[in-house]
Amino acid sequence: MKPLKWFTVLIFLFLIACSANDSNNDKSMEEMKLQTDEEKVYVGFAIDTLKEDRWYRDKEFVEKKVTELGGNIKTLAANGNQDVQIEQVKLLINEGIDVLIIVPSNSEAASKATKLAQESGVKVIAYDKLILGTPLDYYVSFDNEKVGEIQAQIVLDQIDEGNFAYIGGSETDNNAHLVRDGAMSILQPLIDSGKINLVYDEFTKDWSKDIAEENINKFLSSNTVTIDGIVTAYDGLAEGALAALGEQAGHIPISGQDAELNAIKRIIDGTQTGTVYKPIEALANQASILAMDIASGKDISTNATVNNGNMDVPTILLEPVQVTKENINETIIESGHYTEEEVYN
Ligand code: GAL
């Protein structure tokens, strides 16, 4: 072989050796990364939907807190579809999550996802909404009955007699039942005494603003009664009802839940009377700390138990806050839920 050819062969061999070395390095780097990732707690967050304002906040706060605490997290949202949610939970289990935090798409159907996770040794935390009829490890939420009590009180503070409407949430969400129970515990004595006449009392599919609007439109066009006060389970439902009320909006006291930005603006302009603010970051932090503590085998303390039809589930319950025009600054702005600029501009 001519010297030039030898030289080319040598360079070629040298390059092969380098690339083999590089790929070994890449491999061991990869392994090291995998190892550290493997040592980290892996949390799966199966979230019902990202369609409504508040759930983006939940997602962001949970992801931030778990990461801050040194865990890895993957969030999957099911767009309100319980079958999609079960598939997503299977995927998370296959990926090796240690703990599952789940906002169930359907309070009953989610028992299947819960069982699948538990069979794989994954502990399950129901987030915000309870999962019914199955052994469940933990539940973290707000006191939903209290939410309903506040919703009724907001309206009663303006008017405590006449024709009332109750616009409920989704029948497949346990929270819709709890907030209704809470509201009724306040309204029922007045209904019994004849001071209040409950002329409308319906759940609303998917907590949908549009369905609420449709329902109230139908009610108003097929009835001659006037409505004097409206207790609703959620700000989106209040928005739908106000659209149906048209010019009467602003003349009928109406409540909601979630302190959505549009609701706060309506409270300022006087079309909505009040809402219930639930500090989402506190809820997200509790769930994240709980998930990390469970995975690291720490002792867990809770402040309540809630029966889910199968057992008393160890629960952490947080307090909801009443919001009306008078306390927007102290509740919504001081807590950082929205800035002054967002609220007033
Ligand atoms: C409920 C929840 C409310 C509201 C509603 C609609 O379960 O407690 O805060 O977000 O769903 O999404």
Side-chain angles (χ1 to χ4, degrees):
M1 224 186 266
K2 286 184 180 165
L4 190 64
K5 277 209 175 142
W6 268 113
F7 182 69
T8 319
V9 169
L10 277 176
I11 296 263
F12 180 66
L13 287 174
F14 175 72
L15 285 177
I16 290 184
C18 282
S19 76
N21 224 342
D22 269 1
S23 77
N24 276 345
N25 275 344
D26 282 355
K27 221 169 141 202
S28 58
M29 289 284 281
E30 190 109 303
E31 270 163 11
M32 268 171 58
K33 185 168 171 289
L34 274 179
Q35 262 172 6
T36 44
D37 276 353
E38 262 166 28
E39 282 160 17
K40 282 185 170 185
V41 170
Y42 188 15
V43 178
F45 190 19
I47 195 163
D48 166 35
T49 177
L50 290 174
K51 276 189 212 152
E52 286 136 14
D53 259 22
R54 70 155 284 192
W55 300 108
Y56 276 102
R57 292 177 170 253
D58 293 89
K59 174 181 181 295
E60 274 167 21
F61 287 136
V62 170
E63 287 176 347
K64 183 169 147 243
K65 190 68 183 177
V66 168
T67 312
E68 241 172 58
L69 294 172
N72 277 337
I73 177 155
K74 178 178 272 187
T75 306
L76 295 175
N79 282 326
N81 184 325
Q82 68 197 51
D83 299 327
V84 171
Q85 184 163 65
I86 289 177
E87 290 312 308
Q88 291 180 333
V89 168
K90 283 187 195 158
L91 208 121
L92 291 168
I93 296 169
N94 286 340
E95 282 198 4
I97 53 167
D98 301 297
V99 183
L100 173 69
I101 305 177
I102 173 168
V103 182
S105 285
N106 176 312
S107 298
E108 278 169 19
S111 60
K112 188 170 168 200
T114 306
K115 278 188 196 123
L116 287 174
Q118 288 170 335
E119 277 161 17
S120 310
V122 173
K123 294 256 194 278
V124 179
I125 303 170
Y127 182 100
D128 193 80
K129 308 173 200 249
L130 188 58
I131 297 169
L132 300 174
T134 189
L136 178 65
D137 299 294
Y138 294 99
Y139 175 43
V140 182
S141 188
F142 289 92
D143 183 339
N144 286 290
E145 291 188 5
K146 185 81 185 287
V147 170
E149 290 169 20
I150 298 174
Q151 289 167 334
Q153 201 54 56
I154 286 172
V155 177
L156 288 178
D157 285 347
Q158 304 299 316
I159 184 164
D160 64 356
E161 58 185 354
N163 292 336
F164 269 49
Y166 181 79
I167 306 180
S170 161
E171 201 168 2
T172 60
D173 178 348
N174 188 56
N175 285 355
H177 296 269
L178 295 176
V179 294
R180 185 181 178 283
D181 290 350
M184 288 306 156
S185 72
I186 303 289
L187 295 177
Q188 199 60 50
L190 293 159
I191 296 172
D192 292 344
S193 73
K195 263 187 114 178
I196 285 179
N197 185 16
L198 195 61
V199 292
Y200 178 96
D201 178 14
E202 304 279 342
F203 288 108
T204 313
K205 192 171 181 302
D206 296 338
W207 298 87
S208 157
K209 160 173 90 68
D210 296 337
I211 297 178
E213 180 177 349
E214 222 174 88
N215 288 350
I216 296 301
N217 264 328
K218 253 189 236 154
F219 175 81
L220 292 173
S221 58
S222 54
N223 285 279
T224 49
V225 292
T226 52
I227 299 179
D228 302 303
I230 307 179
V231 179
T232 85
Y234 158 60
D235 289 336
L237 303 173
E239 189 172 341
L242 286 167
L245 288 174
E247 294 201 333
Q248 286 189 75
H251 301 287
I252 301 174
I254 182 167
S255 55
Q257 173 185 200
D258 276 359
E260 287 192 345
L261 186 55
N262 285 340
I264 299 298
K265 287 181 186 270
R266 285 193 296 271
I267 293 172
I268 290 165
D269 75 22
T271 47
Q272 185 169 328
T273 320
T275 184
V276 181
Y277 165 54
K278 302 191 299 189
I280 302 296
E281 189 167 8
L283 181 73
N285 287 349
Q286 284 292 347
S288 308
I289 293 167
L290 182 60
M292 296 299 287
D293 285 354
I294 294 170
S296 355
K298 291 202 184 137
D299 286 344
I300 308 293
S301 61
T302 51
N303 65 1
T305 55
V306 173
N307 193 283
N308 74 342
N310 177 281
M311 63 178 287
D312 287 334
V313 183
T315 298
I316 299 176
L317 281 188
L318 307 179
E319 281 297 301
V321 180
Q322 170 169 332
V323 180
T324 54
K325 207 173 204 160
E326 290 67 44
N327 69 351
I328 288 179
N329 289 357
E330 300 92 287
T331 52
I332 300 303
I333 296 173
E334 275 176 22
S335 67
H337 190 62
Y338 297 119
T339 62
E340 196 166 350
E341 200 178 1
E342 284 172 313
V343 168
Y344 292 103
N345 291 333

